[in-house]
Amino acid sequence: MHTYQTVQFVKEKHVQWGSCTHRKMSVMDALSLLDNLVDESDPDVDFPNSFHAYQTAEGIRRIHPDKDWFQLVGLLHDVGKIMALDNEPQWSVVGDTFPVGCKFQESIVFSDTTFRDNPDTKHPIYSTKYGIYKPNCGLENVLMSWGHDEYLFKVLKFNKSSIPEEGLYMIRFHSFYPWHTGGDYQHLCNDKDHRMLNWVKEFNKFDLYTKTEDLPDVELLRPYYQGLIDKYCPGVLSW
């Protein structure tokens, strides 16, 4: 029996993963776990995600040398994918994200087939434009489909990371392509979302366009990024 990204499913995942009781490890240890993962949803790479992490971070470092927190976001943004190594199916770990609890928009990739059997499309409230939300309620108050974005955001908040709000916003919404690329869901956005949009778009440049077969020297780069980890999310974290 296949499960879908529904309000009930997402709430269950928040309980399962959001309590951060699965394991304790450092950020660098979590990053190293990505060596065991190849993202099935990403057509641009067929090498482990840890290389993409360093590629993204180094791309940001070249253009934004004064924003070390932004560089760290580039390194960490996909670490939430480690859920897939704990038997979470990749369809609820990777891929584009979107709100649940309101009508699914056409800009969602494969929207014509993805939601065909999703029971929320027949729900009297969840199938409406605003669903369970108020107009312009703000994306922070929206229940997003479950994936690595939301998981990492919750981990960093739970462990009281000092990454600035702009960085946490990038992490939480970088896979929300129907919004930051498709221009959809404006009816749920507030002024803060409009201010943050440029940050997410700026991050997206490096997430998409630094994927090459020219792999970085991770051993050479690790000490620099360990310093950033020690500054913004040090020690052993709860995951």
Side-chain angles (χ1 to χ4, degrees), residues 54 58 61 216-225:
Y54 282 97
E58 283 294 281
R61 187 180 176 187
D217 187 337
V218 172
E219 293 301 318
L220 185 66
L221 295 173
R222 187 175 285 121
Y224 173 77
Y225 287 100

Side-chain angles (χ1 to χ4, degrees), residues 48-95:
N49 266 249
S50 61
F51 288 107
H52 168 57
Y54 282 97
Q55 287 175 333
T56 305
E58 283 294 281
I60 294 169
R61 187 180 176 187
R62 283 190 293 271
I63 305 300
H64 298 282
D66 59 326
K67 294 182 175 63
D68 60 356
W69 60 267
F70 193 2
Q71 300 160 27
L72 182 60
V73 166
L75 185 74
L76 301 184
H77 72 282
D78 277 346
V79 171
K81 292 179 181 180
I82 62 173
M83 286 190 295
L85 303 176
D86 277 334
N87 299 316
E88 188 67 33
Q90 286 214 13
W91 66 265
S92 64
V93 175
V94 302

Side-chain angles (χ1 to χ4, degrees), residues 134-219:
K134 301 291 186 183
N136 307 115
C137 61
L139 296 179
E140 289 180 309
N141 300 307
V142 168
L143 197 61
M144 297 294 293
S145 60
W146 185 254
H148 67 279
D149 306 48
E150 190 69 21
Y151 176 49
L152 180 59
F153 170 76
K154 294 189 79 67
V155 167
L156 293 173
K157 292 289 284 186
F158 183 89
N159 290 279
K160 297 179 170 58
S161 168
S162 60
I163 292 174
E165 189 172 35
E166 293 86 352
L168 294 175
Y169 210 90
M170 295 172 187
I171 287 169
R172 193 176 193 180
F173 296 113
H174 71 270
S175 300
F176 189 12
Y177 282 87
W179 171 60
H180 64 66
T181 301
D184 237 330
Y185 291 100
Q186 296 302 312
H187 57 292
L188 300 180
C189 294
N190 60 16
D191 290 341
K192 180 179 180 179
D193 299 320
H194 296 312
R195 292 196 307 271
M196 291 291 184
L197 179 57
N198 286 335
W199 282 107
V200 178
K201 285 185 173 182
E202 181 66 12
F203 170 79
N204 192 240
K205 297 176 189 175
F206 302 99
D207 188 19
L208 289 180
Y209 303 121
T210 56
K211 298 173 184 175
T212 70
E213 295 294 334
D214 183 17
L215 301 182
D217 187 337
V218 172
E219 293 301 318

